[in-house]
Amino acid sequence: MTGAPARPLEQRILAQAYALGFDLAGIARLGPPDTLAFYDAWLDAGHHGTMTYMARTRDLRADSTRPEAGMQTAVVVGMNYGGTQPAGPVARYARGADYHRVLWDRLDALGDAVRAESGTAARTRGYVDTGPILERDLARRAGLGWFGKNTMLISPGLGSFFFLGVLVTELALAPSDPFDADRCGTCTRCLEACPTEAFTGPRVLDARRCIAYLTIEHRGEFTAEEAAMVGGHVFGCDVCQDVCPWNMKFARDAREPAFAPRTEFTAPDLEALLALDEPQWRALTVGTALQRPKRAGILRNVLIALANRGDRAAVPAVTRALDDPEPLVRAEAARCLARLGVAPPA
């Protein structure tokens, strides 16, 4: 009696990805992205704002075989971070541990699994939105989902509240079937819900008007228009995902314990954040994505949010921020008091 035939290598690798805790997995061949012309036009229009690294690595992003010589295939994975939590000043993806470290460690383990399953010493390298590749393009080609009108990758049965990771390898693996369907139909809820009108059309985002960009990537002071656009947000924005019917129906809690939301980020006390000095801030945010804008950037956002909601009860906390060691925080505190109708002390 003979045993069951061995499964193809690709199936075994994808099974290992799911065993490592990824919620989605597929395979794509590397090469020029399908969306290259769109990406070039997006850069030429200046929609990337001050994210100069996106233009600086333009040539590398034009072909996913360029960043790492000899690589042929990508194993693309997705990990749900939970879209069922209540909305708040901090985007859902940042309320737990920093996803970069979590996904990098899993991708390293997946690379070990690729070598074990293939019986080779094949090279691999993991990317988690910090390398010069277009992850969403590879994810669609790997069959993980389609591009929503809000530019997010949407997966049937999961929605869009998930992180993407890419493991490139020199193995020539058979690709998965691409996701060619557009399941947004005539729906435009995400475009209509954006409070800053950041979408110039379906699947075209002007980052310069996006709250996520403003609160995370933008450095320095805001113009009056930018400050108004931020609203009550402190780090990121989920509005265009919140209204998506696919998320309303399929979003679910994260299985990964590292992504469990922390109370201090789910419903943050903005006045308490203003009182944190640098060591206290580092202790609070260590190992989280909130460290990217640094303390001064977050406190700038906090002060703008307090001013935008007209919170006069915060005047004592804002007044104390006038003595902050960071010039950006002191300047924003003065503007916040003025917007709250309070003259700053001499």
Side-chain angles (χ1 to χ4, degrees):
M1 182 175 178
T2 60
R7 291 183 297 167
L9 174 60
E10 292 80 5
Q11 289 185 17
R12 302 200 306 274
I13 289 174
L14 295 181
Q16 290 286 355
Y18 287 114
L20 285 167
F22 293 113
D23 298 283
L24 302 168
I27 296 172
R29 296 303 299 269
L30 299 179
D34 299 330
T35 56
L36 180 58
F38 174 88
Y39 183 67
D40 285 339
W42 186 77
L43 288 174
D44 292 341
H47 289 330
H48 59 302
T50 59
M51 296 183 289
T52 55
Y53 62 88
M54 303 192 80
R56 190 169 59 247
T57 57
R58 187 175 193 157
D59 289 344
L60 289 175
R61 294 173 192 266
D63 189 325
S64 51
T65 64
R66 292 177 182 173
E68 187 78 8
M71 298 300 187
Q72 299 191 66
T73 312
V75 182
V76 189
V77 293
M79 183 175 284
N80 172 45
Y81 61 81
T84 58
Q85 307 156 32
V90 175
R92 292 174 181 84
Y93 82 86
R95 298 176 185 177
D98 188 344
Y99 64 96
H100 293 92
R101 186 72 270 159
V102 175
L103 266 69
W104 274 327
D105 289 346
R106 301 295 172 87
L107 289 172
D108 286 345
L110 183 58
D112 292 337
V114 167
R115 284 180 282 277
E117 293 292 348
S118 64
T120 70
R123 291 183 302 124
T124 59
R125 180 176 178 179
Y127 291 98
V128 185
D129 83 16
T130 56
I133 58 173
L134 302 181
E135 290 97 338
R136 287 183 315 136
D137 192 282
L138 286 171
R140 191 202 64 78
R141 290 163 63 177
L144 270 60
W146 75 97
F147 300 148
K149 291 179 182 176
N150 62 356
T151 76
M152 305 295 291
L153 191 80
I154 304 176
S155 181
L158 186 60
S160 63
F161 288 105
F162 60 89
F163 301 119
L164 284 176
V166 175
L167 183 78
V168 296
T169 175
E170 58 188 352
L171 291 178
L173 301 173
S176 306
D177 292 333
F179 202 106
D180 291 327
D182 174 6
R183 298 192 181 177
C184 288
T186 60
C187 179
T188 56
R189 293 185 191 180
C190 58
L191 308 182
E192 295 160 1
C194 179
T196 63
E197 299 181 344
F199 298 104
T200 63
R203 301 179 179 88
V204 183
L205 173 70
D206 185 345
R208 296 168 297 184
R209 298 189 62 83
C210 177
I211 293 172
Y213 165 82
L214 290 170
T215 56
I216 301 171
E217 299 293 338
H218 184 78
R219 298 292 184 262
E221 297 181 12
F222 288 154
T223 64
E225 180 185 15
E226 289 169 339
M229 287 194 291
V230 168
H233 298 271
V234 171
F235 186 97
C237 175
D238 287 326
V239 170
C240 68
Q241 296 193 87
D242 287 337
V243 299
C244 176
W246 291 91
N247 284 327
M248 296 170 71
K249 184 173 182 178
F250 294 110
R252 57 178 185 258
D253 294 338
R255 294 187 296 134
E256 170 54 52
F259 297 149
R262 292 168 52 177
T263 302
E264 56 266 45
F265 300 141
T266 302
D269 182 336
L270 300 189
E271 294 177 46
L273 290 178
L274 283 180
L276 298 178
D277 60 21
E278 186 65 35
Q280 292 170 327
W281 167 254
R282 287 199 299 268
L284 176 67
T285 61
V286 64
T288 75
L290 277 85
Q291 289 196 323
R292 180 166 176 77
K294 305 185 185 304
R295 172 180 173 274
I298 289 290
L299 296 194
R300 171 203 62 188
N301 300 341
V302 166
L303 289 160
I304 290 172
L306 290 171
N308 284 341
R309 70 188 193 190
D311 192 352
R312 291 181 61 87
V315 167
V318 175
T319 302
R320 287 190 292 271
L322 291 171
D323 295 322
D324 195 273
E326 289 286 348
L328 176 62
V329 177
R330 294 198 302 270
E332 202 57 61
R335 279 190 290 271
C336 180
L337 288 174
R339 293 181 60 197
L340 292 174
V342 178

